[in-house]
Amino acid sequence: MASVDLRPVGLSRAPARRSAQLVGGLALYGTSMAMLTRATLGLDPWDVLNDGVTKLTGLSFGTISGAISVVVLLLWIPLRQRPGIGTLANIVIISVVVDLVRAVLPEQHVLAWQIVLLVGGVALNAVATATYVGARLGPGPRDGLMTGLSGRTGWSVRLVRTGIEVTVLAAGWLLGGSVGVGTVLYALTIGPLTQALLPLVTYREP
């Protein structure tokens, strides 16, 4: 598969389309996070970390998600990643949406509905990631780490994303975050799914 150029492009080019793509992708991402937490079959690796820190602090899930995003930004420095408007939007929109959706979406305890939320959440997360990263308005903190490592090492997005997810999962588990079958499903599939979808939604300069 040909590589996809994910370097940020100024908002002056196709501003309406790319702004809508960014906001829509971030809203879908926050929604997918909420779906996975309410499936109660195990969280995705980053949310295992969020869950562990939430249990330690008592702060809301969305608040912890935003705080960890800020910390991850510091890891961009050695990778020479440049934040864009999408970086700040990522922190704000996802943190707000995940708390809003969790407020109206109850935990599921019927296995059929748990599976629907789990599989739907994983698939929606991949679509959301490719959508907002593909807007090329600056990746979110976590995906900036992914694309930065991919760019600096030459490794595929799939390989880098999977490596990051496994590392974060271990840290979250040690902090007491919720781990289950959904965690394994997410860690193994999100990289390949995201890489497959990126060419379909990434903005290309004329």
Side-chain angles (χ1 to χ4, degrees):
M1 179 182 296
S3 61
V4 179
D5 187 356
L6 297 175
R7 290 175 297 179
V9 176
L11 188 56
S12 60
R13 302 190 180 186
R17 174 218 153 167
R18 294 169 61 217
S19 295
Q21 181 173 333
L22 172 68
V23 173
L26 293 175
L28 290 177
Y29 195 99
T31 301
S32 72
M33 286 175 62
M35 291 170 64
L36 291 170
T37 64
R38 293 315 195 194
T40 66
L41 290 176
L43 303 176
D44 68 84
W46 280 107
D47 286 344
V48 171
L49 180 60
N50 291 338
D51 185 49
V53 178
T54 296
K55 290 176 179 177
L56 290 176
T57 64
L59 297 174
S60 77
F61 198 90
T63 299
I64 293 302
S65 176
I68 289 178
S69 293
V70 173
V71 174
V72 172
L73 277 176
L74 298 177
L75 299 178
W76 286 29
I77 297 174
L79 299 175
R80 299 179 183 177
Q81 283 285 88
R82 294 190 305 171
I85 187 173
T87 309
L88 179 59
N90 180 287
I91 297 173
V92 175
I93 295 175
I94 290 178
S95 299
V96 171
V97 171
V98 68
D99 275 349
L100 288 176
V101 176
R102 278 169 55 86
V104 299
L105 183 64
E107 280 192 3
Q108 300 299 314
H109 302 288
V110 176
L111 183 59
W113 285 113
Q114 290 176 301
I115 293 173
V116 168
L117 282 182
L118 172 62
V119 175
V122 171
L124 184 61
N125 192 276
V127 171
T129 299
T131 298
Y132 79 77
V133 171
R136 297 178 64 186
L137 289 171
R142 296 164 179 79
D143 292 296
L145 181 63
M146 173 187 71
T147 56
L149 283 172
S150 178
R152 296 286 286 179
T153 63
W155 299 340
S156 70
V157 170
R158 174 177 55 199
L159 177 61
V160 171
R161 180 66 182 256
T162 301
I164 291 173
E165 301 296 337
V166 171
T167 301
V168 170
L169 169 60
W173 177 73
L174 290 174
L175 289 173
S178 301
V179 178
V181 64
T183 309
V184 177
L185 176 66
Y186 186 97
L188 295 178
T189 62
I190 193 63
L193 286 173
T194 301
Q195 181 162 313
L197 290 167
L198 276 170
L200 303 178
V201 294
T202 298
Y203 169 75
R204 291 174 174 81
E205 298 180 79

